Amino acid sequence: MTAPVHYAIGAASALLIQKYLPAGSGQEARIAWALGIAIASHIAADVVPHAEHFLKGWRLALELIAETIVMLGILIGASGSPFMAMVILAGMAGAAIPDGLGMLSRCVDWPALSWADDKMHLFHGKLNLFYANYFLQLVFTVLCSIYVRIKSA
């Protein structure tokens, strides 16, 4: 899937998990859970067959930078507190980790990265319930962004 949908789903899942954590959970634990659930959200979202970025090389890098800046503004822009901003940022970062490891594993020769990337994408595109084209990804991105903006205000 494209980066914006992963960022939005990751941020939404990071906020959603907060209400299921024990009341006495510290901020570090809450951020760690946000990061972990966002990684899981990326893996879960990638199980559905989907459209991918079609640009390659430096053009893809520029697109990812632009998408990241825009999504930071959309998702963190309305956060009501620095802690909420950290939870959302952890969600966005966690959602980027699986593909980030994949990109890094193509740049450096470190077998552990390739192994982690292979395991995180083991079921990539295997659940043939529907195809998440760009329009459907946009719908998911908008809905999750609305959720994040409402819950973090």
Side-chain angles (χ1 to χ4, degrees):
M1 290 198 180
T2 60
V5 73
H6 279 306
Y7 288 146
I9 293 171
S13 62
L15 287 174
L16 182 63
I17 195 69
Q18 299 303 309
K19 71 179 183 178
Y20 297 104
L21 297 175
S25 297
Q27 289 187 348
E28 294 85 5
R30 290 182 174 280
I31 291 170
W33 274 99
L35 185 74
I37 198 71
I39 293 170
S41 78
H42 179 114
I43 294 167
D46 269 358
V47 171
V48 175
H50 52 272
E52 297 276 5
H53 290 278
F54 55 85
L55 297 176
K56 303 291 181 217
W58 66 269
R59 288 179 178 93
L60 175 60
L62 287 177
E63 179 184 0
L64 292 173
I65 290 167
E67 289 173 345
T68 300
I69 291 168
V70 168
M71 292 306 292
L72 278 167
I74 291 170
L75 297 173
I76 296 181
S79 59
S81 71
F83 176 69
M84 275 296 152
M86 286 300 298
V87 168
I88 294 167
L89 188 58
M92 291 179 68
I97 285 174
D99 286 342
L101 286 177
M103 289 179 198
L104 187 59
S105 73
R106 289 177 200 73
C107 296
V108 297
D109 185 26
W110 193 25
L113 282 177
S114 295
W115 178 87
D117 180 48
D118 290 344
K119 297 305 174 220
M120 285 190 193
H121 292 94
L122 187 63
F123 299 106
H124 192 266
K126 303 283 191 215
L127 186 62
N128 289 315
L129 295 177
F130 60 91
Y131 181 75
N133 59 21
Y134 292 120
F135 177 75
L136 193 53
Q137 290 184 48
L138 176 64
V139 170
F140 285 142
T141 302
V142 168
L143 292 175
C144 288
S145 296
I146 290 169
Y147 174 83
V148 168
R149 295 204 42 119
I150 290 169
K151 289 296 182 182
S152 67

